[in-house]
Amino acid sequence: MTATAAPYVLGVDTDATTLREADHLLQALAAGLALPEGVFGCTHLVRDGRPRIALSLAAEAEPVLCTARDRLTARGYEVRDGAWDERGRAVLFPGASALTGTLTLADLLARSAIDRVTVLGTPDEPAPDTRLVTRDHVRPHWQDGRLVLAAMPAVGGTLVPFEDPDPTPCCADH
């Protein structure tokens, strides 16, 4: 199942302006709505005159999202049918909570909804026994209906997810 091709998908407009803020909001909403493990929750960059980060929730069961729609609307969120785009950045996905510490790519793929891992700067798929240091922050993106994690080489022949959990703000040294 993909978040964009799931039978039931909701878009949630927000005022979030950073990925960190959107991640926390998405996780708080999922916890507050008691969403089950199988729900996909994604962030989407919106550039329509009011730049922000919107959210999407996708599930195979309509009742899960009907209840969520009602509760989100009651909280003042603008909710619409469908995701903002087909290239969402997944924060919530099946198996996400099991992706902590260091694990092999074979384990990552077996434990989660992630379909594929790519390594920046290389055309080849990494070996299944390659170790990934998750930094407890794994954010794959939807690409052509598949959940793909971009990784980059790290110390000792390991990989790390491309997205840094604690990025240095722009102009931090000025």
Side-chain angles (χ1 to χ4, degrees):
M1 176 181 83
T2 67
T4 55
Y8 306 100
V9 182
L10 296 178
V12 183
D13 203 353
T14 76
D15 291 324
T17 57
T18 68
L19 290 175
R20 181 178 293 201
E21 180 183 6
D23 284 6
H24 289 300
L25 176 59
L26 183 54
Q27 291 165 337
L29 290 175
L33 297 169
L35 296 177
E37 170 80 17
V39 171
F40 287 84
C42 296
T43 60
H44 304 265
L45 300 177
V46 180
R47 295 176 182 95
D48 64 358
R50 184 173 67 93
R52 64 198 180 283
I53 300 168
L55 310 175
S56 67
L57 298 171
E60 292 201 25
E62 181 178 19
V64 170
L65 292 186
C66 284
T67 302
R69 175 193 293 275
D70 294 342
R71 292 177 69 192
L72 289 166
T73 303
R75 292 181 185 181
Y77 289 98
E78 183 181 326
V79 180
R80 69 183 203 171
D81 290 329
W84 294 88
D85 57 41
E86 294 182 2
R87 296 194 46 92
R89 172 184 162 271
V91 176
L92 306 174
F93 53 93
S97 62
L99 304 181
T100 61
T102 300
L103 52 143
T104 66
L105 296 185
D107 286 340
L108 174 120
L109 298 173
R111 293 180 187 179
S112 73
I114 296 173
D115 297 303
R116 183 170 167 239
V117 176
T118 61
V119 179
L120 298 177
T122 64
D124 300 323
E125 298 255 340
D129 62 346
T130 303
R131 293 177 306 129
L132 178 83
V133 180
T134 68
R135 302 179 297 195
D136 299 340
H137 188 83
V138 178
R139 300 294 188 264
H141 289 257
W142 289 105
Q143 294 178 9
D144 300 322
R146 297 178 71 198
L147 201 52
V148 179
L149 178 66
M152 58 188 181
V155 175
T158 64
L159 297 174
V160 293
F162 174 71
E163 185 174 319
D164 188 330
D166 298 307
T168 302
C170 177
C171 306
D173 60 346
H174 303 275

